[in-house]
Amino acid sequence: MTRIRCDRTAAWSALQNLFKQEGQAFDLRSAFAADANRFAAFSQSAPHVFADLSKNLIDRRTQQLLFELARQCGVEQHRDAMFTGAAINNTEQRAVMHWLLRTPLPAKADDSAETTKNVASELAQVHATLDAMLAYAQTVRADPVITDVVNIGIGGSDLGPQMAVLALDDFVLRAKRFHFVSNVDGHELAALLKRLKPESTLFLIASKTFTTLETMTNARSAKAWFEAQGGTDIGRHFAALTTNVAAAKAFGIATTFGFWDWVGGRYSLWSAIGLPLAIAIGGEGFRQFLAGAHAMDQHFRNAPLELNLPVRLGLLDLWYRNFHSFGSRSIAPYHSALRRLPAYLQQLEMESNGKRVDAQGEALPYGTSPVLWGEPGTNGQHAYFQMLHQGTDVVPVEFVAVKRPRHPLPGHHDLLLANVLAQAQALMLGKMDAGGHKNFPGNRPSTFLLLDELTPTSLGALIALQEHRVFVSGSLWGINSFDQWGVELGKVLAKDLELRLAHGDLAGLDGSTAGLLSRLRSNDR
Ligand code: F6P
């Protein structure tokens, strides 16, 4: 597999010329006026997700060059390498196979006999673990004594299951409450423990490595609380979701569900890390969730680039970041149950593509991951949409809307949909005849993702779509989207500072940290 960095291709130079000549002056309103078929040409159906890309700052020529760029960078070969189990996470020498977690038995045909054999044996393990985990989920669901399920984990071991349990609230078993504890700040766990009883609580300790400081600290405190409250049966009240089964056993947890080093933390929702979701929506629902994601995998794997939604989104991300120099993207889910989607996507994209060197370690001359942020609509409209409409920076917005509601309240859903349409329209059309402060420049881009309904299947497809679009932009940028060395330095420094906080040793510290540490240790209030 040959990967060529985007800036070393002929298509990149052609795009630079095009941007200078016409791209930077592109106007959406003129583009719609000139092209009656713009909506059709720039919309894309993918499994369970429809995307209107027509309100983005691209025309057919730009889009064509972007597809050429993808071809010249070897995105298809890179994608195929991922789907055949090659070790594309080159800094950790690991395969990247979260997609296998949602592949049904038997495996779909792979490219080489060698890889087929490897992947087939992994797939058998995946399904054995999935079956065991769903059977356990069913036991918990059927256990009337367990009323509270507490997931203790952070990052990928928290954001995915938390986002999905909230998103699928309409499918969640009513007899249980689901809690997510992630922060090492003891306020979070302490506040929850006040409301729990040991005999009715199940703690799920979710950690790929089973070494993460926050999770291990919270797990130890939860276990100490459980024992102090008279709890005895750790086997019944604690389970671990981890690749490090030995560490979980050493911690005293006998019930464990494993996964593999080829599942990145931020891609692990489909593995045992999804257990809270499986308990919440049941085994059938969880399988539908996997099936939705698998349908998107197939689309990404098989659709030609021109009709491939993750590819089209990833190319737009590059176009905005590297040509228009937009530094962020706002996520606007117009469904209150998707309120943790922006946080989930922050980790997915920023931890994957927030890199300043390419896969060979060479410094990059262009920007990579944008800042992702957002809140559910319509709330965001009454907070930061002012800046989106009239601020000095252009921020592409990604709207996510759902056609059919699952509540019976009359009137609400049409108002919600009218608002999401209106925001996208206002960003694009603007209004320059109101005068001074009241003018809107318009020509502000947005993407509109539409689900028919928010179900386990459509949520699975939506999340897999996002995973693959992050793959595409990372692939174009020539980076390794599957490591996260940038989180390490802070972890090391925190260990040192924890000791210094205890003993007051300031030797060798920079002036600011020394000053703050002294202040934190002083008795003055
Ligand atoms: O510190 C970052 C990170 O490694 C994430 O990539 C990961 O999702 C999170 O920590 C939690 O890691 P673990 O599941 O091993 O506890």
Side-chain angles (χ1 to χ4, degrees):
M1 179 211 32
T2 317
R3 291 181 69 187
I4 301 188
R5 227 171 69 181
C6 53
D7 60 327
R8 295 176 176 156
T9 61
W12 178 268
S13 312
L15 281 161
Q16 280 181 322
N17 287 337
L18 187 75
F19 184 71
K20 269 192 222 125
Q21 281 156 19
E22 42 195 86
Q24 55 195 346
F26 181 88
D27 188 273
L28 279 166
R29 295 149 296 196
S30 316
F32 272 99
D35 183 354
N37 286 327
R38 185 172 168 86
F39 176 75
F42 290 93
S43 54
Q44 178 68 59
S45 287
H48 312 289
V49 183
F50 171 83
D52 171 21
L53 310 175
S54 65
K55 292 202 224 52
N56 282 296
L57 307 177
I58 41 168
D59 59 14
R60 290 169 199 241
R61 176 82 191 115
T62 312
Q63 188 164 254
Q64 205 40 53
L65 274 179
L66 287 168
F67 291 133
E68 277 175 36
L69 179 76
R71 289 212 164 83
Q72 291 174 15
C73 289
V75 169
E76 290 155 300
Q77 291 83 346
H78 192 208
R79 171 199 64 192
D80 295 346
M82 173 174 76
F83 280 110
T84 49
I88 61 166
N89 174 354
N90 66 311
T91 60
E92 297 175 309
Q93 277 311 305
R94 287 181 185 162
V96 173
M97 298 208 293
H98 46 275
W99 52 271
L100 194 69
L101 299 167
R102 53 232 188 183
T103 302
L105 285 168
K108 294 280 178 270
D110 285 309
D111 289 356
S112 75
E114 174 83 358
T115 313
T116 306
K117 217 172 94 208
N118 291 343
V119 172
S121 82
E122 300 281 5
L123 188 60
Q125 290 181 45
V126 163
H127 278 271
T129 307
L130 176 64
D131 292 346
M133 166 188 144
L134 296 186
Y136 177 76
Q138 185 47 40
T139 313
V140 175
R141 282 168 68 84
D143 185 339
V145 179
I146 300 293
T147 54
D148 291 87
V149 178
V150 181
N151 189 79
I152 294 182
I154 195 163
S157 300
D158 165 66
L159 290 165
Q162 186 187 154
M163 174 275 296
V165 168
L166 284 170
L168 297 175
D169 184 60
D170 282 315
F171 300 82
V172 168
L173 188 67
R174 289 288 154 232
K176 301 198 194 301
R177 290 174 290 265
F178 293 85
H179 313 276
F180 292 85
V181 175
S182 54
N183 202 324
V184 75
D185 179 354
H187 290 105
E188 192 175 32
L189 180 61
L192 176 63
L193 291 177
K194 280 187 218 157
R195 295 187 274 133
L196 299 178
K197 293 194 176 66
E199 63 275 15
S200 56
T201 301
L202 171 64
F203 290 101
L204 303 176
I205 313 301
S207 175
K208 178 177 170 180
T209 54
F210 224 76
T211 57
T212 303
L213 167 105
E214 291 87 340
T215 303
M216 298 326 298
T217 306
N218 281 323
R220 276 192 294 274
S221 295
K223 195 168 160 217
W225 169 86
F226 180 79
E227 287 168 342
Q229 298 287 310
T232 49
D233 194 350
I234 298 266
R236 173 165 155 71
H237 292 277
F238 283 77
L241 324 173
T242 183
T243 57
N244 191 353
V245 169
K249 296 234 152 106
F251 185 85
I253 300 181
T255 309
T256 59
F257 296 96
F259 55 110
W260 302 271
D261 72 357
W262 43 258
V263 184
R266 52 194 173 275
Y267 299 88
S268 63
L269 172 56
W270 325 96
S271 72
I273 294 294
L275 181 58
L277 179 64
I279 297 172
I281 66 172
E284 192 44 40
F286 195 79
R287 286 187 193 278
Q288 288 165 9
F289 178 64
L290 298 180
H294 178 67
M296 190 59 76
D297 292 341
Q298 295 296 87
H299 169 77
F300 180 46
R301 211 170 167 174
N302 299 320
L305 296 187
E306 286 75 6
L307 301 174
N308 195 312
L309 185 54
V311 170
R312 294 180 81 174
L313 288 175
L315 286 168
L316 262 176
D317 294 339
L318 170 135
W319 178 240
Y320 285 157
R321 187 73 185 97
N322 302 134
F323 292 86
H324 284 278
S325 302
F326 299 153
S328 84
R329 178 162 81 249
S330 186
I331 313 296
Y334 274 65
H335 195 307
S336 65
L338 290 174
R339 61 191 170 278
R340 290 298 281 165
L341 182 67
Y344 175 81
L345 294 180
Q346 275 174 344
Q347 187 197 13
L348 179 62
E349 188 152 342
M350 294 166 77
E351 201 173 68
S352 296
N353 287 349
K355 310 282 164 69
R356 53 174 285 286
V357 296
D358 68 17
Q360 280 65 49
E362 204 178 312
L364 293 171
Y366 45 77
T368 56
S369 175
V371 176
L372 264 69
W373 55 284
E375 283 286 321
T378 58
N379 297 9
Q381 291 174 208
H382 298 272
Y384 53 79
F385 269 56
Q386 162 66 39
M387 179 268 195
L388 297 180
H389 288 290
Q390 289 188 318
T392 49
D393 293 278
V394 174
V395 179
V397 180
E398 188 154 299
F399 294 102
V400 183
V402 178
K403 196 165 154 186
R404 286 192 288 278
R406 297 185 70 92
H407 66 75
L409 303 177
H412 286 253
H413 201 64
D414 278 353
L415 278 174
L416 182 71
L417 293 179
N419 269 277
V420 64
L421 286 172
Q423 291 302 321
Q425 195 183 32
L427 284 166
M428 172 173 71
L429 296 182
K431 183 172 168 51
M432 289 303 278
D433 58 2
H437 296 288
K438 296 183 180 166
N439 279 350
F440 292 72
N443 202 34
R444 301 209 160 185
S446 66
T447 291
F448 200 106
L449 300 180
L450 182 61
L451 312 181
D452 279 346
E453 272 187 279
L454 184 56
T455 63
T457 314
S458 67
L459 183 69
L462 178 68
I463 299 305
L465 168 67
Q466 299 289 347
E467 289 178 348
H468 295 323
R469 73 102 66 89
V470 169
F471 178 93
V472 170
S473 52
S475 181
L476 295 161
W477 284 324
I479 59 186
N480 178 5
S481 301
F482 299 99
D483 60 12
Q484 57 284 320
W485 299 107
V487 301
E488 294 305 323
L489 178 59
K491 291 183 188 173
V492 173
L493 296 181
K495 267 198 189 141
D496 172 57
L497 289 167
E498 186 194 3
L499 294 176
R500 288 175 185 267
L501 268 168
H503 302 299
D505 173 15
L506 303 182
L509 284 181
D510 64 89
S512 169
T513 309
L516 289 169
L517 204 137
S518 310
R519 210 176 163 85
L520 285 165
R521 280 181 48 84
S522 87
N523 293 326
D524 306 345
R525 289 284 155 204

